[in-house]
Amino acid sequence: MPSTEPRANIRHEIIEPTECDQQAAAALVTAAALVAIADRHVDTIEREEVVRYINDRQLVPTIAPSCIDSLFDERARRLEQLDFADFAIDVLRPVSGLSLAPDVIEIAERVAAADRYMHSHELQAIRLIRLVTMSLPKSES
C-alpha cells in the first residue's frame, strides 16, 4: 500500500506523495520517450515496457497505468520539437543524485532493447540521460 505521508522532494521541500509521483513519472517517462523516438519510430512494445517497468516496481503508485501510457505519448510528441534537448534536460536534471537516477537509466535501456534492435541514436540518447542524471548539478530555479 502506498504511503500517504508527505515526502521530501528534489528541492528538499515537503510535498504530497501525488506531486512527488508526478515528478518521478515525468522523469521516467521523458527518459523512455527520448530513447523511443531516437530511432524515429515509437513501437507499441516500447510504450508497454515503460508502463510495465513503472508498475512492476511501484515507482509512482498514485498514478494509473493509463495515465503513464498517455504521458508517454505526450512526451514523445513533445520531444519531437526543436527544443527537445532543453526540455529533456529540464525534466531530468532534478534527478541528479537521487535514488531515482538508476531507474531513469534502466527504463531508458529497457526501452532501447524492447524492440530487440539497439539503434545508434538510442545509445546516444542513453548517454545523454546518463550525463544529465548522474553528472549535471541541479538547477537553482
Side-chain angles (χ1 to χ4, degrees):
M1 174 107 197
S3 172
T4 57
E5 293 294 312
R7 298 184 256 183
N9 82 345
I10 295 162
R11 293 187 185 113
H12 307 290
E13 301 164 351
I14 300 299
I15 60 172
E16 294 303 312
T18 55
E19 187 177 339
C20 188
D21 284 355
Q22 289 170 353
Q23 290 174 348
L28 291 160
V29 174
T30 299
L34 183 62
V35 172
I37 67 162
D39 64 359
R40 299 282 189 215
H41 178 72
V42 177
D43 251 319
T44 301
I45 196 163
E46 292 170 321
R47 181 184 305 100
E48 291 169 352
E49 182 61 31
V50 171
V51 174
R52 181 177 24 261
Y53 182 87
I54 291 172
N55 284 333
D56 286 353
R57 286 158 185 79
Q58 297 181 346
L59 296 171
V60 291
T62 64
I63 300 177
S66 61
C67 292
I68 295 167
D69 190 69
S70 296
L71 180 60
F72 178 85
D73 291 338
E74 182 271 321
R75 292 297 160 117
R77 282 189 301 275
R78 176 63 182 85
L79 289 166
E80 290 176 337
Q81 295 178 12
L82 291 177
D83 67 339
F84 76 94
D86 291 334
F87 176 75
I89 289 169
D90 287 345
V91 173
L92 296 173
R93 183 186 304 262
V95 174
S96 179
L98 295 179
S99 61
L100 185 62
D103 286 304
V104 169
I105 293 166
E106 186 173 348
I107 200 169
E109 291 170 342
R110 286 176 175 258
V111 166
D115 61 1
R116 299 181 190 261
Y117 174 74
M118 193 81 73
H119 192 279
S120 63
H121 293 150
E122 291 174 323
L123 294 173
Q124 289 175 340
I126 292 168
R127 281 189 215 112
L128 173 65
I129 292 164
R130 276 197 181 111
L131 173 68
V132 173
T133 60
M134 302 299 254
S135 306
L136 292 181
K138 296 174 220 160
S139 70
E140 295 297 324
S141 38

